[in-house]
């Protein structure tokens, strides 16, 4: 049975500039996926994430937690300076007393795709139900899980 697939973009800017990717520095490092939308709350544990850097799908993630507002995820930081930078950086429009934060996310177990497995999905958006690649992502995910046994 195919799992629901959500596309998440990892370039955190209005125009998708390549130098704004947060795949390594945030998504992979903290095992999270998030987007500046409450639509992220529609995702569920067990669903899959197609993580895209620009148009290139670079990883598949399996959601392992219920989605929540980013400040409620329990992200572990090495120290207070890292936490402050994470939440005060321009990439996260959140302040401690801001109850209107739209940034929602979930904890994700990522599987980086091999170079020959990466592919282009030319549909723009920070977060959406990726029906156009659902079958392909599920096939890649099944292969990855099989190869780990």
């Amino acid at each position: 049975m195919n799992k629901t697939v959500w596309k998440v973009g990892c370039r955190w800017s209005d125009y998708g500039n390549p130098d704004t990717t947060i795949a390594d520095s945030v998504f992979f490092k903290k095992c999270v996926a998030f987007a500046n939308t409450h639509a992220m709350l529609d995702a569920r544990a067990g669903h899959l994430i197609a993580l895209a850097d620009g148009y290139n799908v670079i990883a598949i993630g399996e959601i392992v937690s219920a989605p929540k507002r980013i400040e409620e995820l329990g992200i572990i930081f090495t120290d207070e300076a890292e936490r402050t930078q994470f939440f005060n950086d321009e990439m996260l429009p959140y302040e401690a007393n801001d109850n209107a934060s739209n940034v929602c996310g979930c904890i994700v177990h990522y599987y980086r795709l091999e170079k020959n497995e990466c592919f282009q999905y030319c549909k723009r958006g920070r977060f959406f139900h990726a029906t156009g690649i659902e079958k392909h992502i599920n096939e890649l995910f099944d292969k990855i899980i099989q190869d780990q046994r």
Side-chain angles (χ1 to χ4, degrees):
M1 182 167 137
N2 278 346
K3 296 176 179 239
T4 301
V5 175
W6 303 93
K7 183 263 184 185
V8 176
C10 65
R11 291 188 181 174
W12 205 257
S13 70
D14 290 333
Y15 303 105
N17 302 335
D19 61 339
T20 63
T21 185
I22 57 172
D24 289 323
S25 63
V26 178
F27 283 22
F28 295 144
K29 182 179 179 181
K30 298 298 180 186
C31 299
V32 296
F34 56 79
N36 191 8
T37 175
H38 284 127
M40 186 91 180
L41 298 173
D42 293 336
R44 299 285 175 258
H47 288 180
L48 300 178
I49 297 284
L51 186 65
D53 187 0
Y55 288 132
N56 297 316
V57 176
I58 60 169
I60 296 173
E62 185 173 26
I63 299 173
V64 297
S65 75
K68 300 175 184 177
R69 288 173 30 150
I70 192 76
E71 62 273 16
E72 298 169 352
L73 276 178
I75 299 169
I76 298 170
F77 298 99
T78 54
D79 56 29
E80 190 57 31
E82 183 188 36
R83 181 187 187 289
T84 300
Q85 178 183 1
F86 186 83
F87 284 115
N88 290 339
D89 194 305
E90 358 176 311
M91 68 185 185
L92 283 180
Y94 167 75
E95 294 176 13
N97 297 320
D98 177 10
N99 291 324
S101 172
N102 285 330
V103 180
C104 299
C106 49
I107 305 298
V108 177
H109 182 95
Y110 282 108
Y111 303 90
R112 292 182 196 233
L113 296 177
E114 297 293 330
K115 192 170 188 167
N116 66 327
E117 295 172 323
C118 295
F119 64 96
Q120 285 201 333
Y121 182 43
C122 296
K123 185 172 179 184
R124 288 182 187 236
R126 292 180 180 153
F127 175 81
F128 57 85
H129 185 191
T131 56
I133 57 171
E134 202 160 62
K135 182 179 179 197
H136 184 61
I137 291 294
N138 273 280
E139 288 170 353
L140 280 172
F141 180 73
D142 290 345
K143 179 186 176 295
I144 290 166
I145 298 304
Q146 280 288 71
D147 289 350
Q148 289 186 346
R149 291 183 181 173

